[in-house]
Amino acid sequence: MAPIAKRLDINGVQISTLRQGQGQPLLFLHGANGASAWLPLFEDLSKAYDVIVPEHPGFGLSDDPDWIKSIPDIAMFYLDFLEQLKLSNVALVGTSLGGWIAAEVAVRSSTTLSSLTLVCPAGVRVRGAPIADTFMWGPEESVRNLFFNQAIADRMLSVRPTEEQLAVLLKNRFSTTKLAWEPRGFNPHLEKWLHRIKIPTQIIWGSEDKLIPAAYAEKWKETIPHATVTVLHDCGHLPHIEKSDVVVSKIHQLTGHAQ
């Protein structure tokens, strides 16, 4: 069954969403490359959850309002999103840039959330372990550096994007630059507030992440002491694609769903 694609108006901002499944709501916040495709991860999760995958303001087919200027702005937007859709008991999942957004949401309010899964999140800084400068990567390098398993990169690179897809990629890149350029990839104020996250939390990382080193997993563990950490071997920056079955299993474990 294909997911339902729908545009939602959240306080005057039109955003594109994909949704499928029933039961406990699961909100997935995507990374810098967007969320225009329905991934196997979403399909598997939709067997147990009401999976909601929005495209952030400024990304994909969503509006790009002038007043959204930072990741904290997007976090506040998603609090409006949760309120307007009357969602509660939400399993919040975010990857990379989306993990940063998810953490910013959770420190502001966890009243509608039941759990938090952060997959290779940006948002904090570890001195001596810089985040890679993706703006220096060429197009092919940008794909290959995201995966340990180069067969996945080969498949992705073998598909020529349409003009519409190229326009979306350019829009996503521009929005990522606007939101995360200075300071690069983190919010210097986020770390001091992560102790506010009281809901069950897990950190998932790929051991071979070339974008955000796996050393960052321990930094998140230090700042959210009750969080669990899973480092997946032979995996790059996108565990939800490269090791999707493991990520699905970990989400089930955190939320208490039997498989």
Side-chain angles (χ1 to χ4, degrees), residues 120-148:
C120 303
V124 301
R125 180 175 64 171
V126 174
R127 293 189 183 278
I131 295 174
D133 187 350
T134 58
F135 297 99
M136 298 297 292
W137 293 351
E140 179 172 345
E141 191 179 16
S142 294
V143 175
R144 293 202 176 279
N145 283 351
L146 293 177
F147 299 101
F148 173 81

Side-chain angles (χ1 to χ4, degrees), residues 178-207:
K178 178 179 73 171
L179 296 167
W181 179 263
E182 184 60 43
R184 190 75 60 86
F186 77 102
N187 175 1
H189 301 291
L190 176 59
E191 182 180 336
K192 65 187 177 187
W193 295 115
L194 289 172
H195 69 273
R196 287 182 47 80
I197 299 175
K198 307 298 184 184
I199 55 177
T201 300
Q202 65 178 337
I203 315 298
I204 300 174
W205 226 287
S207 64

Side-chain angles (χ1 to χ4, degrees), residues 41 44-45 117 119 202-205 230-235 238-254 259:
L41 174 91
D44 288 344
L45 288 171
T117 297
V119 183
Q202 65 178 337
I203 315 298
I204 300 174
W205 226 287
T230 301
V231 176
L232 303 180
H233 297 290
D234 298 339
C235 183
L238 304 178
H240 65 292
I241 294 176
E242 200 162 6
K243 302 280 187 178
S244 64
D245 55 337
V246 180
V247 174
V248 168
S249 178
K250 289 294 180 181
I251 292 171
H252 282 313
Q253 289 174 26
L254 187 67
Q259 288 186 271

Side-chain angles (χ1 to χ4, degrees), residues 4-244:
I4 296 172
K6 189 174 182 180
R7 287 182 68 77
L8 300 177
D9 187 306
I10 308 296
N11 287 343
V13 180
Q14 295 277 331
I15 64 164
S16 176
T17 64
L18 296 173
R19 188 169 186 174
Q20 182 173 288
Q22 296 181 335
Q24 180 184 3
L26 184 148
L27 178 61
F28 182 92
L29 301 183
H30 66 76
N33 287 334
S36 57
W38 189 254
L39 299 174
L41 174 91
F42 305 150
E43 187 67 29
D44 288 344
L45 288 171
S46 70
K47 298 171 185 175
Y49 306 89
D50 174 13
V51 178
I52 307 164
V53 185
E55 290 186 297
H56 311 320
F59 290 76
L61 301 179
S62 295
D63 286 353
D64 185 14
D66 291 340
W67 58 265
I68 290 186
K69 302 179 183 298
S70 67
I71 295 297
D73 284 341
I74 292 191
M76 294 301 294
F77 171 86
Y78 276 117
L79 289 175
D80 281 351
F81 179 96
L82 292 165
E83 181 178 296
Q84 188 166 320
L85 269 62
K86 296 181 170 59
L87 296 174
S88 61
N89 192 37
V90 176
L92 181 58
V93 181
T95 179
S96 194
L97 185 79
W100 178 1
I101 297 169
E104 298 270 9
V105 169
V107 299
R108 284 162 174 78
S109 175
S110 296
T111 56
T112 60
L113 308 178
S114 64
S115 66
L116 178 64
T117 297
L118 303 177
V119 183
C120 303
V124 301
R125 180 175 64 171
V126 174
R127 293 189 183 278
I131 295 174
D133 187 350
T134 58
F135 297 99
M136 298 297 292
W137 293 351
E140 179 172 345
E141 191 179 16
S142 294
V143 175
R144 293 202 176 279
N145 283 351
L146 293 177
F147 299 101
F148 173 81
N149 182 351
Q150 287 299 296
I152 299 175
D154 289 339
R155 288 197 297 271
M156 294 184 68
L157 290 166
S158 69
V159 179
R160 184 183 296 274
T162 64
E163 288 188 10
E164 291 79 6
Q165 289 170 331
L166 285 172
V168 165
L169 289 172
L170 184 62
K171 179 180 179 181
N172 294 350
R173 190 174 181 85
F174 177 81
S175 290
T176 299
T177 304
K178 178 179 73 171
L179 296 167
W181 179 263
E182 184 60 43
R184 190 75 60 86
F186 77 102
N187 175 1
H189 301 291
L190 176 59
E191 182 180 336
K192 65 187 177 187
W193 295 115
L194 289 172
H195 69 273
R196 287 182 47 80
I197 299 175
K198 307 298 184 184
I199 55 177
T201 300
Q202 65 178 337
I203 315 298
I204 300 174
W205 226 287
S207 64
E208 307 304 317
D209 191 337
K210 291 184 178 180
L211 178 54
I212 308 177
Y216 275 73
E218 284 305 313
K219 181 68 170 181
W220 285 91
K221 171 63 177 169
E222 291 172 9
T223 51
I224 311 176
H226 66 276
T228 61
V229 172
T230 301
V231 176
L232 303 180
H233 297 290
D234 298 339
C235 183
H237 184 63
L238 304 178
H240 65 292
I241 294 176
E242 200 162 6
K243 302 280 187 178
S244 64

